[in-house]
Amino acid sequence: MGKINCIGILTSGGDAPGMNAAIRAVTRAGIAVGLKVKGIYRGYEGLINNEIQDFTTENVSNIIQRGGTILKTARSKEFLTPEGRKKAYDNMVEQGIDALIIIGGNGSLEGARIFAEEFDVPCIGLPGTIDNDLSGTDSTIGYDTTLNTIVQCVDKIRDTATSHERIFFIEVMGRDAGFLAQNSAIASGAEAAIIPEDSSNADQLEQFISRGIRKSKSSSMVIVSESPKCGAMYYADRVKKEYPEFDVRVSILGHLQRGGSPSAYDRILASRLGVGAITALREGQRNVMIGIKNDEVVYVPFCNAIKSDKPVKKELINVLGILSI
């Protein structure tokens, strides 16, 4: 393992169900091979402010079932500056931390990549984001739980939509990636999904309305990826203007998608990736994300995980189109 005797763990960016399971796995796997483990509170901001605590197995007891992150999370503007990163590095040295394990999404891993290059620090990333938008891994920690939360919400909304014969536009997270919208639409039997990878236009709106409301269906559900310009409100307003005969409603699910106890799949995924992070360090790996591909743990260089586009499969778009008739 070389000079690595102590590791630091932090969670950064948006919280995701299963982050606690990952913290637990990293901590216990590290201790099992003789490493000292330290928890860093509030992400990179906590590293800059030296909010660091020794972690034992007791610190991570009874957390696998909890949503959110016991280490808290924050977005750090100061870490975006060379001066902020220097403060973070100095605190690492003071605390005796030899390597960092970062649980987070695109921005968090990009921060780790820059930090590792500037100070030659071994960094291992775990994909913790509900958006499932990191390349090189089939799933990210929190995605499965969030998908199931959305489906449960859509099922409940459909009861009202059917009772009142309404069209509902339901906005979900995923500003730059449509995995949540596309797959929740399939799983909930929605009539359409409007995602960044397959932007809708007037003809598509006409298509799903004609196929649904005007034929045999008493309600229609459209799942929309959040967008500052073209979210659920935008499309609902268009339908109100272009098809005033329809009763249209909007439901923005918001932050309830992030919360809740992680699913069994997310707990297992987080546990496998957490152990994989320690294994990677022992093998001399550095500056890689631990992912899952075809049910095998894989190492993905940060630059590949962050910069490569992870497309929604066209097959999924076709499946929804076929099944929504």
Side-chain angles (χ1 to χ4, degrees):
M1 203 170 201
K3 298 178 181 179
I4 297 177
N5 299 304
C6 176
I7 61 169
I9 317 168
L10 63 85
T11 52
S12 175
D15 63 305
M19 280 185 164
N20 283 326
I23 294 166
R24 173 182 180 270
V26 170
T27 300
R28 294 194 170 186
I31 291 170
V33 298
L35 289 175
K36 189 172 184 180
V37 180
K38 297 197 176 191
I40 302 164
Y41 287 85
R42 296 173 185 84
Y44 294 120
E45 191 73 4
L47 191 56
I48 291 170
N49 294 327
N50 209 16
E51 297 182 65
I52 301 170
Q53 176 185 333
D54 291 341
F55 258 38
T56 66
T57 56
E58 285 77 14
N59 290 98
V60 295
S61 294
N62 198 32
I63 67 168
I64 194 170
Q65 78 282 8
R66 291 169 57 185
T69 164
I70 63 165
L71 286 175
K72 312 301 181 186
T73 183
R75 304 186 192 276
S76 177
K77 290 183 179 179
E78 192 173 0
F79 193 77
L80 297 175
T81 67
E83 296 78 14
R85 293 190 293 273
K86 180 63 166 60
K87 281 186 191 177
Y89 177 71
D90 290 342
N91 286 333
M92 269 189 67
V93 173
E94 180 187 327
Q95 291 279 349
I97 297 172
D98 304 309
L100 282 180
I101 295 179
I102 300 97
I103 307 167
N106 250 307
S108 303
L109 299 192
E110 173 65 10
R113 184 192 67 78
I114 295 169
F115 191 63
E117 288 179 357
E118 284 183 343
F119 299 102
D120 195 27
V121 174
C123 292
I124 302 292
L126 297 187
T129 168
I130 65 172
D131 291 338
N132 196 31
D133 60 347
L134 288 166
S135 293
T137 185
D138 290 337
S139 189
T140 58
I141 297 166
Y143 171 68
D144 182 73
T145 305
T146 300
L147 187 60
N148 280 283
T149 297
I150 292 169
V151 170
Q152 291 168 7
C153 291
V154 175
D155 287 348
K156 294 176 188 298
I157 293 169
R158 187 179 284 281
D159 291 342
T160 294
T162 303
S163 298
H164 292 269
E165 299 183 302
R166 287 172 176 161
I167 300 173
F168 262 87
F169 287 87
I170 302 172
E171 186 171 291
V172 301
M173 289 183 172
R175 180 168 299 181
D176 300 312
F179 294 97
L180 285 172
Q182 188 66 41
N183 285 315
S184 65
I186 293 172
S188 62
E191 279 64 42
I194 298 175
I195 61 176
E197 297 87 343
D198 186 41
S199 297
S200 183
N201 56 39
D203 290 338
Q204 288 173 307
L205 287 173
E206 164 66 23
Q207 185 179 27
F208 89 77
I209 290 175
S210 298
R211 191 170 56 214
I213 290 288
R214 291 183 183 175
K215 289 192 177 178
S216 60
K217 296 188 178 182
S218 60
S219 66
S220 279
M221 312 291 282
V222 182
I223 315 298
V224 185
S225 290
E226 64 182 350
S227 168
K229 294 182 179 179
C230 301
M233 288 296 299
Y234 168 80
Y235 287 102
D237 287 343
R238 280 187 53 190
V239 172
K240 287 177 184 177
K241 292 175 184 176
E242 297 172 27
Y243 311 100
E245 67 271 29
F246 296 127
D247 191 4
V248 181
R249 293 292 187 275
V250 171
S251 183
I252 299 174
L253 299 188
H255 285 83
L256 69 83
Q257 296 164 83
R258 289 195 183 277
S261 181
S263 66
Y265 179 85
D266 272 331
R267 298 183 198 194
I268 295 166
L269 176 65
S271 297
R272 292 181 69 186
L273 298 184
V275 172
I278 300 301
T279 302
L281 284 176
R282 297 186 75 193
E283 292 176 355
Q285 296 284 338
R286 54 194 291 151
N287 311 333
V288 296
M289 180 190 78
I290 312 300
I292 197 87
K293 204 77 175 171
N294 299 322
D295 203 34
E296 296 290 336
V297 172
V298 295
Y299 305 151
V300 185
F302 282 152
C303 57
N304 293 345
I306 297 163
K307 292 184 178 178
S308 300
D309 290 332
K310 183 178 181 181
V312 171
K313 292 181 179 178
K314 288 186 177 179
E315 175 205 351
L316 295 173
I317 297 172
N318 293 336
V319 166
L320 179 58
I322 291 167
L323 299 182
S324 63
I325 60 173

